[in-house]
Amino acid sequence: MSAWHERTGRIAVLTGAGISTDSGIPDFRGPRGVWAEDPVAELLSTYDNYVSDPELRERSWRARRDNPAWAAEPNPAHLALVELERAGRGLTIVTQNVDRLHQRAGSDPQRVIEIHGNMFDVVCVNCGYTASMAATLERVGAGEADPPCPECGGVLKADVIMFGQALDHRTLLKASLAAETAEIFLAVGTSLQVEPAASLCGRAVAAGASLIVVNAEPTPYDSLATEVVREPIGTALPRLVELILAR
């Protein structure tokens, strides 16, 4: 039987916050993650709290303004996936991240499925009004601590999926299809604790894929994996891509 990296079919990659830490964006659940350093920060990601608490929203807008993702650059892990795509492999990236570093690295946006949305757009929770985050942060800088929707006066939020919100059904279907049609499924830098994203691993394995988990900490899906890699993602992923392309 051939090694997993010698399989020639489609490849799906699920990426989480860990792939972006080398770009200067802290993760959430790690020992030095955002929620470990500042427990209140987790409240900023909970929809009901956000909508009901004006003071929390004001803090959220300041956090968005100061987010290190604005200055972040793609790192070798992002670039390795670009190399894999440009080599002609049937690649789909399903990302839990909202930083768009995959696209900035050069990945085809049509091959990147953002299951948790993105930080570059703003949406009104009442009427669906949309605007750019940059324009809305200009309003914050001009003195609007909690800028309301200019159309209906409702609450604005980043176009990201918060805890308590359902994922977009069509986006989740696309992600599920990518998992179920892959021969190799890489789970990179994700704790695999957030569903339904984590369940994509099980879907892929059930459909016959080899699951490779690349994460510093143990995950609930390690027992299903063909291989578990604990080395730093910035070196591990380029090495794994090299293995795949060397066949």
Side-chain angles (χ1 to χ4, degrees), residues 155-176:
V155 171
L156 294 179
K157 62 179 287 291
D159 193 14
V160 302
I161 303 297
M162 291 180 158
F163 289 116
Q165 282 189 291
L167 271 62
D168 178 75
H169 181 64
R170 288 174 297 178
T171 301
L172 186 56
L173 281 178
K174 288 167 60 178
S176 297

mmCIF file of all heavy atoms in Angstrom, residues 155-176:
data_model
loop_
_atom_site.group_PDB
_atom_site.id
_atom_site.type_symbol
_atom_site.label_atom_id
_atom_site.label_comp_id
_atom_site.label_asym_id
_atom_site.label_seq_id
_atom_site.Cartn_x
_atom_site.Cartn_y
_atom_site.Cartn_z
ATOM 1 N N VAL A 155 -27.542 47.369 14.701
ATOM 2 C CA VAL A 155 -26.206 47.016 15.167
ATOM 3 C C VAL A 155 -25.358 46.522 13.996
ATOM 4 O O VAL A 155 -25.778 45.651 13.223
ATOM 5 C CB VAL A 155 -26.291 45.923 16.253
ATOM 6 C CG1 VAL A 155 -24.905 45.382 16.598
ATOM 7 C CG2 VAL A 155 -26.984 46.462 17.494
ATOM 8 N N LEU A 156 -24.151 47.071 13.878
ATOM 9 C CA LEU A 156 -23.193 46.601 12.883
ATOM 10 C C LEU A 156 -22.203 45.649 13.539
ATOM 11 O O LEU A 156 -21.859 45.795 14.710
ATOM 12 C CB LEU A 156 -22.421 47.777 12.281
ATOM 13 C CG LEU A 156 -23.198 48.789 11.444
ATOM 14 C CD1 LEU A 156 -22.262 49.891 10.953
ATOM 15 C CD2 LEU A 156 -23.895 48.119 10.263
ATOM 16 N N LYS A 157 -21.747 44.674 12.755
ATOM 17 C CA LYS A 157 -20.727 43.746 13.227
ATOM 18 C C LYS A 157 -19.844 43.346 12.046
ATOM 19 O O LYS A 157 -20.219 43.522 10.889
ATOM 20 C CB LYS A 157 -21.368 42.482 13.826
ATOM 21 C CG LYS A 157 -22.196 41.676 12.839
ATOM 22 C CD LYS A 157 -22.800 40.424 13.474
ATOM 23 C CE LYS A 157 -21.796 39.344 13.731
ATOM 24 N NZ LYS A 157 -21.284 38.746 12.451
ATOM 25 N N ALA A 158 -18.673 42.841 12.368
ATOM 26 C CA ALA A 158 -17.834 42.272 11.316
ATOM 27 C C ALA A 158 -18.570 41.103 10.672
ATOM 28 O O ALA A 158 -19.360 40.406 11.320
ATOM 29 C CB ALA A 158 -16.509 41.807 11.902
ATOM 30 N N ASP A 159 -18.313 40.879 9.392
ATOM 31 C CA ASP A 159 -18.992 39.798 8.671
ATOM 32 C C ASP A 159 -18.338 38.458 8.987
ATOM 33 O O ASP A 159 -17.844 37.753 8.107
ATOM 34 C CB ASP A 159 -18.965 40.076 7.172
ATOM 35 C CG ASP A 159 -19.910 39.161 6.403
ATOM 36 O OD1 ASP A 159 -20.765 38.516 7.043
ATOM 37 O OD2 ASP A 159 -19.791 39.097 5.164
ATOM 38 N N VAL A 160 -18.297 38.144 10.283
ATOM 39 C CA VAL A 160 -17.746 36.876 10.759
ATOM 40 C C VAL A 160 -18.835 36.134 11.518
ATOM 41 O O VAL A 160 -19.764 36.741 12.054
ATOM 42 C CB VAL A 160 -16.517 37.090 11.663
ATOM 43 C CG1 VAL A 160 -15.427 37.850 10.928
ATOM 44 C CG2 VAL A 160 -16.886 37.824 12.942
ATOM 45 N N ILE A 161 -18.707 34.819 11.562
ATOM 46 C CA ILE A 161 -19.650 33.998 12.307
ATOM 47 C C ILE A 161 -19.231 33.979 13.771
ATOM 48 O O ILE A 161 -18.130 33.545 14.114
ATOM 49 C CB ILE A 161 -19.694 32.555 11.759
ATOM 50 C CG1 ILE A 161 -20.044 32.555 10.270
ATOM 51 C CG2 ILE A 161 -20.684 31.719 12.549
ATOM 52 C CD1 ILE A 161 -21.412 33.115 9.951
ATOM 53 N N MET A 162 -20.091 34.473 14.636
ATOM 54 C CA MET A 162 -19.829 34.477 16.063
ATOM 55 C C MET A 162 -20.421 33.224 16.710
ATOM 56 O O MET A 162 -21.271 32.542 16.111
ATOM 57 C CB MET A 162 -20.468 35.721 16.710
ATOM 58 C CG MET A 162 -19.817 37.036 16.333
ATOM 59 S SD MET A 162 -20.653 38.432 17.150
ATOM 60 C CE MET A 162 -19.352 39.661 17.102
ATOM 61 N N PHE A 163 -19.979 32.941 17.930
ATOM 62 C CA PHE A 163 -20.612 31.855 18.675
ATOM 63 C C PHE A 163 -22.088 32.200 18.872
ATOM 64 O O PHE A 163 -22.440 33.321 19.233
ATOM 65 C CB PHE A 163 -19.937 31.668 20.032
ATOM 66 C CG PHE A 163 -18.561 31.089 19.943
ATOM 67 C CD1 PHE A 163 -17.456 31.813 20.359
ATOM 68 C CD2 PHE A 163 -18.357 29.821 19.443
ATOM 69 C CE1 PHE A 163 -16.174 31.292 20.276
ATOM 70 C CE2 PHE A 163 -17.091 29.278 19.340
ATOM 71 C CZ PHE A 163 -15.994 30.023 19.767
ATOM 72 N N GLY A 164 -22.936 31.231 18.595
ATOM 73 C CA GLY A 164 -24.371 31.467 18.687
ATOM 74 C C GLY A 164 -25.003 31.755 17.345
ATOM 75 O O GLY A 164 -26.228 31.821 17.247
ATOM 76 N N GLN A 165 -24.180 31.920 16.310
ATOM 77 C CA GLN A 165 -24.690 32.107 14.952
ATOM 78 C C GLN A 165 -24.485 30.830 14.153
ATOM 79 O O GLN A 165 -23.474 30.134 14.319
ATOM 80 C CB GLN A 165 -23.962 33.248 14.244
ATOM 81 C CG GLN A 165 -24.406 34.640 14.626
ATOM 82 C CD GLN A 165 -23.770 35.673 13.710
ATOM 83 O OE1 GLN A 165 -22.567 35.908 13.753
ATOM 84 N NE2 GLN A 165 -24.586 36.283 12.868
ATOM 85 N N ALA A 166 -25.415 30.548 13.263
ATOM 86 C CA ALA A 166 -25.282 29.379 12.391
ATOM 87 C C ALA A 166 -24.386 29.710 11.204
ATOM 88 O O ALA A 166 -24.358 30.848 10.732
ATOM 89 C CB ALA A 166 -26.656 28.934 11.894
ATOM 90 N N LEU A 167 -23.634 28.721 10.753
ATOM 91 C CA LEU A 167 -22.852 28.896 9.540
ATOM 92 C C LEU A 167 -23.779 29.007 8.342
ATOM 93 O O LEU A 167 -24.892 28.473 8.347
ATOM 94 C CB LEU A 167 -21.898 27.716 9.336
ATOM 95 C CG LEU A 167 -20.504 27.833 9.971
ATOM 96 C CD1 LEU A 167 -20.590 27.938 11.472
ATOM 97 C CD2 LEU A 167 -19.626 26.653 9.552
ATOM 98 N N ASP A 168 -23.304 29.698 7.327
ATOM 99 C CA ASP A 168 -24.057 29.789 6.086
ATOM 100 C C ASP A 168 -24.206 28.391 5.485
ATOM 101 O O ASP A 168 -23.211 27.663 5.310
ATOM 102 C CB ASP A 168 -23.324 30.712 5.103
ATOM 103 C CG ASP A 168 -24.029 30.816 3.769
ATOM 104 O OD1 ASP A 168 -25.060 31.503 3.691
ATOM 105 O OD2 ASP A 168 -23.544 30.181 2.802
ATOM 106 N N HIS A 169 -25.438 28.015 5.163
ATOM 107 C CA HIS A 169 -25.723 26.647 4.720
ATOM 108 C C HIS A 169 -24.982 26.306 3.431
ATOM 109 O O HIS A 169 -24.383 25.232 3.303
ATOM 110 C CB HIS A 169 -27.223 26.475 4.528
ATOM 111 C CG HIS A 169 -27.646 25.101 4.098
ATOM 112 N ND1 HIS A 169 -27.468 23.989 4.900
ATOM 113 C CD2 HIS A 169 -28.208 24.654 2.941
ATOM 114 C CE1 HIS A 169 -27.907 22.913 4.255
ATOM 115 N NE2 HIS A 169 -28.359 23.289 3.077
ATOM 116 N N ARG A 170 -24.985 27.215 2.476
ATOM 117 C CA ARG A 170 -24.323 26.929 1.189
ATOM 118 C C ARG A 170 -22.815 26.807 1.354
ATOM 119 O O ARG A 170 -22.175 25.955 0.732
ATOM 120 C CB ARG A 170 -24.664 28.023 0.180
ATOM 121 C CG ARG A 170 -26.113 27.977 -0.318
ATOM 122 C CD ARG A 170 -26.424 29.165 -1.186
ATOM 123 N NE ARG A 170 -26.307 30.424 -0.455
ATOM 124 C CZ ARG A 170 -26.493 31.616 -0.989
ATOM 125 N NH1 ARG A 170 -26.799 31.726 -2.258
ATOM 126 N NH2 ARG A 170 -26.378 32.710 -0.254
ATOM 127 N N THR A 171 -22.246 27.653 2.213
ATOM 128 C CA THR A 171 -20.806 27.578 2.456
ATOM 129 C C THR A 171 -20.439 26.254 3.105
ATOM 130 O O THR A 171 -19.442 25.615 2.738
ATOM 131 C CB THR A 171 -20.360 28.746 3.351
ATOM 132 O OG1 THR A 171 -20.694 29.982 2.711
ATOM 133 C CG2 THR A 171 -18.864 28.703 3.599
ATOM 134 N N LEU A 172 -21.245 25.818 4.053
ATOM 135 C CA LEU A 172 -20.979 24.550 4.725
ATOM 136 C C LEU A 172 -21.115 23.371 3.759
ATOM 137 O O LEU A 172 -20.332 22.416 3.827
ATOM 138 C CB LEU A 172 -21.923 24.375 5.908
ATOM 139 C CG LEU A 172 -21.674 23.163 6.804
ATOM 140 C CD1 LEU A 172 -20.255 23.165 7.342
ATOM 141 C CD2 LEU A 172 -22.681 23.125 7.949
ATOM 142 N N LEU A 173 -22.067 23.439 2.844
ATOM 143 C CA LEU A 173 -22.203 22.377 1.839
ATOM 144 C C LEU A 173 -20.965 22.281 0.960
ATOM 145 O O LEU A 173 -20.488 21.186 0.646
ATOM 146 C CB LEU A 173 -23.445 22.628 0.980
ATOM 147 C CG LEU A 173 -24.795 22.249 1.578
ATOM 148 C CD1 LEU A 173 -25.928 22.616 0.619
ATOM 149 C CD2 LEU A 173 -24.851 20.747 1.894
ATOM 150 N N LYS A 174 -20.439 23.438 0.561
ATOM 151 C CA LYS A 174 -19.225 23.455 -0.260
ATOM 152 C C LYS A 174 -18.054 22.843 0.503
ATOM 153 O O LYS A 174 -17.262 22.071 -0.051
ATOM 154 C CB LYS A 174 -18.900 24.884 -0.685
ATOM 155 C CG LYS A 174 -19.835 25.449 -1.737
ATOM 156 C CD LYS A 174 -19.670 26.945 -1.876
ATOM 157 C CE LYS A 174 -18.275 27.351 -2.273
ATOM 158 N NZ LYS A 174 -18.159 28.834 -2.451
ATOM 159 N N ALA A 175 -17.940 23.181 1.792
ATOM 160 C CA ALA A 175 -16.860 22.635 2.602
ATOM 161 C C ALA A 175 -17.013 21.128 2.764
ATOM 162 O O ALA A 175 -16.032 20.374 2.689
ATOM 163 C CB ALA A 175 -16.838 23.320 3.964
ATOM 164 N N SER A 176 -18.242 20.677 2.983
ATOM 165 C CA SER A 176 -18.500 19.243 3.133
ATOM 166 C C SER A 176 -18.155 18.492 1.857
ATOM 167 O O SER A 176 -17.563 17.399 1.897
ATOM 168 C CB SER A 176 -19.961 19.010 3.511
ATOM 169 O OG SER A 176 -20.266 19.587 4.759
#
